Amino acid sequence: MDYSRAEVSQGDPAKAIAKWEQWTKDHPGDAQSFTILGSLQETQGDREEAMASYKKALAIQPEQPIAANNLSYLMVETGQNLDVALSLAQIARRALPNAPSTADTLAWVYYQKGNYSSARDLLEDAQKADPNNASIHYHLGMTYTKLSNNSDAVIQLKKAVALAPNSQTAKDADKELGLAGLIICLRR
């Protein structure tokens, strides 16, 4: 894994992916390797290949928490079956109960399913554990919006933008901030 980090940090993620692809061919029963490969593919924006790698990891080891967590999140983001995503997120959360990333993923599934109170509770805990995670702030802001807590929603969305100013999360948060401002103006 250290070699892959070095490849990625030196600007050659394709080389790292190629190495892990070869490793998984040579070691087809290694669930962790498929998980690492999926993470690298996801980092490069190849969601389809990442999901395929995570599915291979889970076929080998159905309780592989990182593959379950990452696949669940990608399923939500690509509009796939929320019940399957929920099941995967729960597997990840059971295995890694103190990880903010598993709380965030499970909360985002709850959000998508309309269970905003459960999402809020998980996200508030995740935010305390990982206060500099823009995604958690964004998801918490979105959840507060659904719970009609607009003032806290604005705080969280602004924090998401501040933490990751040139990211898709920031763009999404800015868009939501524009909508929140409109909602506040309409209520006056």
Side-chain angles (χ1 to χ4, degrees):
M1 187 61 185
D2 289 337
Y3 181 79
S4 294
R5 280 193 202 109
E7 293 290 348
V8 171
S9 69
Q10 291 178 3
D12 200 352
K15 200 177 218 181
I17 289 171
K19 295 238 184 248
W20 281 103
E21 285 173 338
Q22 185 59 52
W23 180 268
T24 58
K25 285 178 186 163
D26 294 342
H27 303 89
D30 187 349
Q32 185 169 349
S33 295
F34 281 104
T35 302
I36 293 167
L37 176 58
S39 296
L40 289 168
Q41 292 164 327
E42 190 175 348
T43 300
Q44 292 305 297
D46 193 347
R47 289 178 163 182
E48 291 300 318
E49 287 298 319
M51 288 192 297
S53 292
Y54 295 141
K55 287 176 183 177
K56 287 176 185 173
L58 291 167
I60 298 163
Q61 183 185 349
E63 302 286 316
Q64 210 302 332
I66 296 168
N69 186 71
N70 294 0
L71 180 57
S72 174
Y73 193 83
L74 286 174
M75 288 179 72
V76 170
E77 292 295 295
T78 57
Q80 296 185 32
N81 187 314
L82 290 178
D83 293 328
V84 174
L86 176 61
S87 177
L88 291 167
Q90 289 168 332
I91 288 168
R93 189 71 180 153
R94 277 193 303 273
L96 300 170
N98 298 318
S101 61
T102 62
D104 183 38
T105 298
L106 182 56
W108 199 230
V109 176
Y110 282 150
Y111 174 91
Q112 299 298 326
K113 290 180 72 66
N115 188 345
Y116 306 119
S117 295
S118 293
R120 178 200 56 221
D121 295 346
L122 282 165
L123 289 165
E124 286 176 347
D125 288 343
Q127 179 196 23
K128 289 174 191 162
D130 191 0
N132 295 317
N133 185 311
S135 179
I136 292 171
H137 285 282
Y138 171 67
H139 291 155
L140 186 54
M142 295 292 291
T143 302
Y144 282 151
T145 298
K146 291 293 187 181
L147 293 169
S148 299
N149 183 348
N150 289 330
S151 60
D152 284 341
V154 168
I155 291 168
Q156 296 302 319
L157 293 168
K158 285 182 176 179
K159 184 75 172 178
V161 172
L163 287 169
N166 298 317
S167 68
Q168 186 59 48
T169 299
K171 290 176 189 168
D172 294 342
D174 269 337
K175 179 180 175 189
E176 192 62 30
L177 280 165
L179 294 173
L182 181 61
I183 292 167
I184 291 169
C185 289
L186 292 173
R187 288 190 178 158
R188 288 184 182 167

